[in-house]
Amino acid sequence: MKRLVIGHWSLVIILAAFVLLASAYAYVTPTLEAPDEIYHYDYIRSLVKTGRPPVLEAGGGRGFGHHAPLYYAYGALVSFWVGENDLEVWPTRHNPFFGYRFGDVGRDNKNLYLHPDDDALGWSDTWLGIRLVRWASVILGAVTVWVVYRVGREVFPERPEMAVGAAGLAAFIPEFLFISGAVNDDNGAALFGALALWAMMRILREGPTPRRCVGLGLALGLGWLSKLTVVALVPTAGLMLLVTCRRSWRDLLRWGLLTFGVAALLIAPWLARQTVLYGDPTGTAREMTEWGPREQPITLANLGPDLYWLRTSFWGRLGYNQIPLSGWIYTLLDVVTLLALLGLARLTLHRLQSPLSNLQFLTYILHSPFSILSASLLLTLLPMIVRRFLRPMPNFGRYLFPVLPAIALLLFTGLSAWLPRRYHRQAAVVATWEPGGQSCE
């Protein structure tokens, strides 16, 4: 009981610190200087003015009219009362020197736009509307951190320090703090992806029930309506149900129909709308037309830069990704990640040495929550790889946020493998504040 109380208070401290830091990001990041924020906020204003999602017209230029609407509807609810006096002016304020020393650490000329003196509270409606939606996004981020903790409690029901360590690690990733304080639909995807993983871990541990399967279906459906990056959790849910119901095809059919039926009820109207407008249910074809396809085939030479971009933008690349952290921070985080992976390998080898038959070991692996968490990460990476062959732009680390609970829990479990269990509580503190220190750099 004492360990549980300490775990709860530790979570409260983590959440309070997260809200404080993410709110600071939301306030100090210049207007429209978060990734694609002008497109995200323009979508919200279109919902406010017309009451329906915008359309990405053929030949109409870049935009996010093909994006799923749920996050933007949330943004519209909190900012509908704000006026609009200068949003259309911002594209003309483009900084002609943007790109100077792009990707170098420094404070010189990093803004995408030239910001006038009246870009301030009381003068600019865009300033106010952006901050309102940003602070509303901080709430989504805080709930996501809480769900990471709940996922950890499902995986380690008797060890709250493991859940605290995973939640702290996730909360203070600089990129997650930054995006949580930005107008960006990755915030909705992160929340519903985390909720879906929580539901999966509960079903895996305690078995399926109508309530749990409906909850999983709702999380998957609402996640799809937030961003397509959540779609990879649909086959993950199917795999989880297959493992859980492996002794009964009837149960598999029953719970599968309930879970995916609920999700389909939410998703089907949106997919029909996308198909009518763009000729495909995702709107990807129109996006490719307006944003441009990849002109040259990808080669092995692209692999190194792509991996560098993916991992650095996961840990932290601010602004329009042109503001990196210091190089030593990425090196340190690479070492931490390597230690975690080796720790997970060590745990697996230890299990291999246990007196289990091959069938028992296979059953253990299939039913392990870490297998499902690992599968969610791999299945999220797969469409990102395919996308890289089609689009000229690299993948961003924030696309992995729907499986943030899996990443945080796998990392912390791997790191804990190198320490005696009596030190895992101290490890949770270190895991919380190590990335947190970089967030305040």
Side-chain angles (χ1 to χ4, degrees):
M1 177 62 70
K2 180 180 179 181
R3 292 169 64 193
L4 189 60
V5 171
I6 293 174
H8 285 165
W9 277 109
S10 298
L11 179 64
V12 169
I13 294 171
I14 288 170
L15 289 174
F18 171 85
V19 169
L20 180 64
L21 287 172
S23 297
Y25 272 111
Y27 181 78
V28 303
T29 301
T31 302
L32 301 176
E33 294 289 348
D36 298 319
E37 201 165 45
I38 191 168
Y39 298 117
H40 292 300
Y41 190 62
D42 184 63
Y43 193 125
I44 290 171
R45 298 313 302 176
S46 179
L47 277 177
V48 170
K49 289 185 289 186
T50 68
R52 59 181 182 271
V55 176
L56 183 59
E57 300 286 356
R62 295 181 174 186
F64 284 171
H66 61 293
H67 276 207
L70 187 58
Y71 171 80
Y72 303 107
Y74 173 68
L77 282 175
V78 301
S79 65
F80 70 91
W81 55 274
V82 177
E84 185 174 314
N85 65 351
D86 60 349
L87 181 61
E88 71 283 352
V89 179
W90 278 95
T92 67
R93 296 172 175 170
H94 190 276
N95 178 7
F97 300 104
F98 175 74
Y100 170 71
R101 297 182 62 195
F102 187 97
D104 289 353
V105 177
R107 300 179 179 178
D108 55 324
N109 208 19
K110 297 294 185 181
N111 285 344
L112 177 63
Y113 298 102
L114 300 175
H115 293 261
D117 292 337
D118 61 2
D119 178 27
L121 179 63
W123 294 91
S124 169
D125 289 340
T126 301
W127 188 99
L128 177 59
I130 286 285
R131 266 64 183 188
L132 286 172
V133 181
R134 285 178 178 178
W135 283 319
S137 296
V138 171
I139 296 173
L140 299 183
V143 178
T144 301
V145 172
W146 177 77
V147 177
V148 172
Y149 173 81
R150 297 310 311 174
V151 172
R153 297 288 287 129
E154 293 296 333
V155 177
F156 295 103
E158 304 300 325
R159 300 172 63 187
E161 69 274 8
M162 300 299 287
V164 170
L169 195 156
F172 300 115
I173 293 173
E175 185 73 11
F176 184 63
L177 279 166
F178 172 59
I179 293 298
S180 295
V183 180
N184 195 294
D185 58 351
D186 287 301
N187 291 306
L191 173 57
F192 290 111
L195 288 170
L197 285 172
W198 182 18
M200 291 184 217
M201 294 300 102
R202 175 61 65 89
I203 292 171
L204 195 65
R205 185 165 75 93
E206 298 187 357
T209 65
R211 181 178 179 180
R212 291 168 191 158
C213 289
V214 168
L216 176 55
L218 287 172
L220 292 174
L222 294 174
W224 192 314
L225 291 176
S226 298
K227 191 164 185 173
L228 277 176
T229 49
V230 181
V231 172
L233 290 175
V234 174
T236 305
L239 177 63
M240 181 276 303
L241 289 172
L242 182 62
V243 170
T244 305
C245 306
R246 63 187 182 279
R247 293 189 176 90
S248 172
W249 288 102
R250 181 175 297 178
D251 285 347
L252 177 62
L253 181 63
R254 173 190 178 192
W255 299 121
L257 285 175
L258 179 58
T259 299
F260 298 119
V262 169
L265 286 175
L266 293 172
I267 300 167
W270 178 253
L271 296 185
R273 182 253 190 194
Q274 296 289 83
T275 303
V276 170
L277 288 175
Y278 307 124
D280 76 90
T282 65
T284 303
R286 181 63 56 81
E287 177 194 25
M288 293 286 292
T289 300
E290 299 305 311
W291 286 75
R294 185 180 183 87
E295 296 179 355
Q296 297 179 348
I298 195 168
T299 65
L300 289 177
N302 301 122
L303 184 60
D306 282 359
L307 289 176
Y308 172 80
W309 189 270
L310 179 63
R311 78 178 196 278
T312 57
S313 63
F314 173 80
W315 292 115
R317 292 188 73 94
L318 309 184
Y320 267 70
N321 301 285
Q322 81 276 22
I323 307 175
L325 308 178
S326 297
W328 68 267
I329 297 177
Y330 295 126
T331 301
L332 174 62
L333 293 170
D334 286 344
V335 172
V336 169
T337 303
L338 179 60
L339 285 174
L341 292 174
L342 291 174
L344 291 172
R346 184 185 185 192
L347 291 173
T348 303
L349 290 173
H350 178 73
R351 180 58 64 177
L352 279 170
Q353 296 171 357
S354 62
L356 296 175
S357 67
N358 291 338
L359 180 60
Q360 288 174 322
F361 179 74
L362 180 61
T363 302
Y364 168 81
I365 290 296
L366 288 176
H367 202 266
S368 168
F370 290 103
S371 296
I372 302 301
L373 294 174
S374 299
S376 71
L377 176 56
L378 293 174
L379 289 170
T380 301
L381 283 168
L382 183 60
M384 292 172 63
I385 295 172
V386 174
R387 183 180 183 273
R388 188 66 183 100
F389 280 87
L390 301 175
R391 290 285 306 277
M393 296 174 61
N395 287 300
F396 300 110
R398 65 180 183 272
Y399 297 163
L400 294 173
F401 286 169
V403 291
L404 187 60
I407 296 172
L409 201 56
L410 288 168
L411 284 174
F412 187 69
T413 301
L415 292 172
S416 300
W418 299 104
L419 296 172
R421 185 168 174 176
R422 63 181 179 274
Y423 294 122
H424 286 182
R425 192 176 303 171
Q426 289 84 347
V429 175
V430 175
T432 296
W433 297 113
E434 190 275 332
Q438 320 313 330
S439 303
C440 302
E441 189 199 36

